[in-house]
Amino acid sequence: MSHLWVRSLSAQKRHFCAGILCKSNIGCSLSKRVNYSIPTFHRECNPVNSLKLSAQFNTPLRSLLNNASAIKDDRIVPPSRNFCQLIARWQLRLAFCSAARNEMSDLDSGLDDDVICSDLQQADLDSGDIGITKKEKVVYEKPIDFTKVDINLLPTVIIVGRPNVGKSALFNRLIRRREALVYNTPDDHVTRDIREGIAKLGDLRFRVLDSAGVETEATSGSILQRTTNMTANVLAKIQFVVLLIDVRAGLHPLDLEVGKWLRRNAPGFTPIVAMNKSESLCDGTGSITDAADEARMLGFGDPIAISAETGLGMTALYDSLRPLLEDYMLKVLNSNCNQPNSNCDSHDDNHGEVEELSKLPLQLAIVGRPNVGKSTLLNTLLQEERVLVGPEVGLTRDSIRAHFHFQGRTIYLVDTAGWLHRTGQDKGPSSLSIVQSRKNLMRAHVVALVLDAEEIAKARRSMTHAEVVIARRAVEEGRGLVVIVNKMDLLRGKQNSKLYQKVIEAVPLEIQTVIPQVSGIPVVFISALEGRGRIAVMRQVINTYEKWCLRLPTARLNRWLCKVMSRHSWKDQAAQPKIKYFTQVKARPPTFVAFTSGKTQLSDTDLRFLTKSLKEDFDLGGIPIRIMQRCIPRKIGGSGSKSNQSAVRMEERIFSDKRTTAA
């Protein structure tokens, strides 16, 4: 015995509607009689009222559904088109057909007329569930392809250990680049900040953090104690720990102290113990086995033997990390997909669309002399204590790279070291920091040059020789330039009010005088310690970056060229440069080509005039502009030569006809 229900539905635009739901346990019974019992309906369909319709028929179900289109004035209105069809290949558990007059379009007929209710499977649903499409739950299973996981969902692994055990070398091995400084300094720390990167260990992908050496007995307030506290704060945000020891020195007492420190600050973690520098013990004498037995005294399980310098043992590290990372990713992916607003389809078809140049990630390098507040500015922009700050000069050694999002745009920040000029006295980590700072300066899109407002007020000048060299190098490399005057809070008060105003007025003018290659360099006055000026800095950086990526159409440039040439007063007609047309060939930075006629070359005065006019008319201040020139050779012959050449070619074609018959 089958049951059919006719339910009134509220359709869009207050149109009359009807719906039919077929549920069957043994299929639909067929007979010759059809009984309809239809009550009086209001002008607007009530979604609560329903009428049970018992129907026994000998016609296919498709015919009934096609005729149940709308109900009006106690009668069924015959439809003018087919509104509903059941498609067996969909394999639906429940078929629900609704119709709203003048709201649905024709559907392709994909079934014959012998489709009946028995094609539907059994379904027990409440009336409130009718018409609701539920999203199918996605369940992830092993193995997980880490190369296709969103970078924001990847697990985080931190490398910890006592100083000088090879943490930075292992970090460079995992990210496959020489980013962290590596130098043998037993009595000093090379790494002082937390460095982040994406590890590529086989097909594994995860975030890896390089930390400073842990010393639990450091003096309170010292650099070592501050770096240890910073590492302890980071432990609350990571998922896995790799404890690194030096196998050549054996199990050092400091290694035991680091183990106790981990149990105290990260009680929920079981770190993976890695014995670094094991390449010296691979002599077959069983020394690695003895070292492993000694490393088990830490109480963290069996260690693995690796060599960050040569790559030995990376397979063993992969085997240890793989099951842990997979279990974590399964929980993250499945819990993320179960949320109502989550998007589990990470591989969207439109993901590969090309973005505009101005929407690509922005590379920002913070440069300047030592102790001007570069690291404090980076912490202010990130709004977290990411790098170590203090009154010590030259506190930052590594170029720390971090990223954040500002107004929907990804910003990559690089805090460089303060040593910018290499001298004979700079050796060891200092010399390496200088080289690394220069590399990051060349990789950046926009360079933020940080100045000290207090030193400007004392020296009565805006920039020193070192800062001028930095700015000119950034301009020569074609980078956008933003000048940031920090420590303005030290010039406040009644006594310094006049000095405060003089610094604001004099710095932009003096910078324009010292760096004439680029006009309109933006200058921002901030106090990074108090957190003031963060939004102003980011707006100027993004504005400079958008100018750096600007592309101007050729038609607009040539209209501009005509106006510029007409409004300029030339000595005589012969002195005016003969420019045929003007076009932009590339951006980042904007590069233009001026095509001149003949062998005439634009003078330096003409190039400066065009550059200045471009910056003023198109608001391109703060970025370098390059103008190249090309000569268009003049044609020797006139229009008559073309006709003569065409006549000669026609004559040759006539006399060289191969279809002529031989005598």
Side-chain angles (χ1 to χ4, degrees), residues 52-53 80 113 252 279 282 304 399 487 493 537 549 551 602:
K52 183 177 180 180
L53 174 64
S80 60
D113 290 339
H252 199 276
E279 73 279 2
C282 295
I304 57 176
S399 294
K487 303 183 182 182
V537 169
C549 299
R551 276 193 173 274
L602 298 177

Side-chain angles (χ1 to χ4, degrees), residues 391-555:
E392 296 87 356
V393 178
L395 190 60
T396 302
R397 288 181 175 176
D398 265 323
S399 294
I400 305 302
R401 181 183 176 91
H403 76 280
F404 72 106
H405 297 277
F406 182 80
Q407 296 180 353
R409 186 192 303 271
T410 302
I411 311 292
Y412 287 95
L413 291 174
V414 179
D415 179 23
T416 60
W419 293 282
L420 294 168
H421 294 284
R422 191 171 184 177
T423 61
Q425 298 178 355
D426 294 329
K427 296 180 180 180
S430 302
S431 177
L432 297 177
S433 299
I434 297 171
V435 177
Q436 195 177 56
S437 298
R438 293 177 179 177
K439 289 181 179 180
N440 286 285
L441 180 66
M442 298 176 64
R443 294 175 183 173
H445 299 156
V446 180
V447 175
L449 177 59
V450 183
L451 308 180
D452 191 341
E454 187 179 16
E455 293 185 1
I456 291 175
K458 292 179 180 179
R460 301 292 180 178
R461 61 178 182 178
S462 300
M463 302 176 66
T464 62
H465 175 71
E467 293 164 341
V468 172
V469 171
I470 299 170
R472 290 180 177 176
R473 180 171 297 175
V475 172
E476 291 174 358
E477 294 293 336
R479 311 304 177 199
L481 182 62
V482 176
V483 176
I484 300 174
V485 182
N486 192 20
K487 303 183 182 182
M488 291 296 294
D489 55 303
L490 300 178
L491 301 181
R492 291 176 185 162
K494 295 182 180 180
Q495 298 179 354
N496 298 326
S497 59
K498 295 183 179 179
L499 188 61
Y500 182 89
Q501 191 64 29
K502 287 183 179 179
V503 169
I504 293 179
E505 294 176 356
V507 169
L509 298 177
E510 188 173 350
I511 288 176
Q512 187 59 55
T513 304
V514 175
I515 312 174
Q517 298 92 337
V518 179
S519 61
I521 298 175
V523 181
V524 187
F525 300 89
I526 67 167
S527 173
L529 184 62
E530 297 179 353
R532 297 186 180 183
R534 173 180 177 270
I535 302 299
V537 169
M538 292 311 305
R539 287 178 178 174
Q540 288 292 347
V541 168
I542 291 177
N543 186 29
T544 303
Y545 179 69
E546 291 178 349
K547 295 177 182 178
W548 193 63
C549 299
L550 180 65
R551 276 193 173 274
L552 298 172
T554 303

Side-chain angles (χ1 to χ4, degrees), residues 190-204:
V190 177
T191 303
R192 292 175 176 174
D193 301 295
I194 302 296
R195 176 182 287 276
E196 180 181 352
I198 302 298
K200 300 177 181 179
L201 185 60
D203 59 350
L204 289 182

Side-chain angles (χ1 to χ4, degrees), residues 26 31 65 75 93 193 212 222 298 388 419 437 483 524 526 552 633 642:
I26 58 175
S31 65
L65 294 178
R75 63 188 180 88
R93 296 183 58 190
D193 301 295
S222 63
L298 291 170
L388 190 65
W419 293 282
S437 298
V483 176
V524 187
I526 67 167
L552 298 172
K642 292 184 179 180

Side-chain angles (χ1 to χ4, degrees), residues 198-270:
I198 302 298
K200 300 177 181 179
L201 185 60
D203 59 350
L204 289 182
R205 298 293 183 271
F206 55 91
R207 293 178 179 271
V208 60
L209 301 182
D210 180 23
S211 62
V214 177
E215 287 198 10
T216 58
E217 301 298 331
T219 307
S220 178
S222 63
I223 296 178
L224 299 181
Q225 194 265 343
R226 281 183 284 168
T227 56
T228 302
N229 292 339
M230 183 182 298
T231 306
N233 295 332
V234 173
L235 288 177
K237 304 177 183 179
I238 55 95
Q239 290 78 40
F240 304 99
V241 178
V242 174
L243 176 58
L244 207 63
I245 64 175
D246 188 352
V247 72
R248 293 184 299 184
L251 189 62
H252 199 276
L254 287 179
D255 295 329
L256 297 175
E257 294 295 331
V258 173
K260 295 178 181 179
W261 178 84
L262 275 177
R263 289 187 177 93
R264 184 172 60 253
N265 291 276
F269 293 100
T270 301

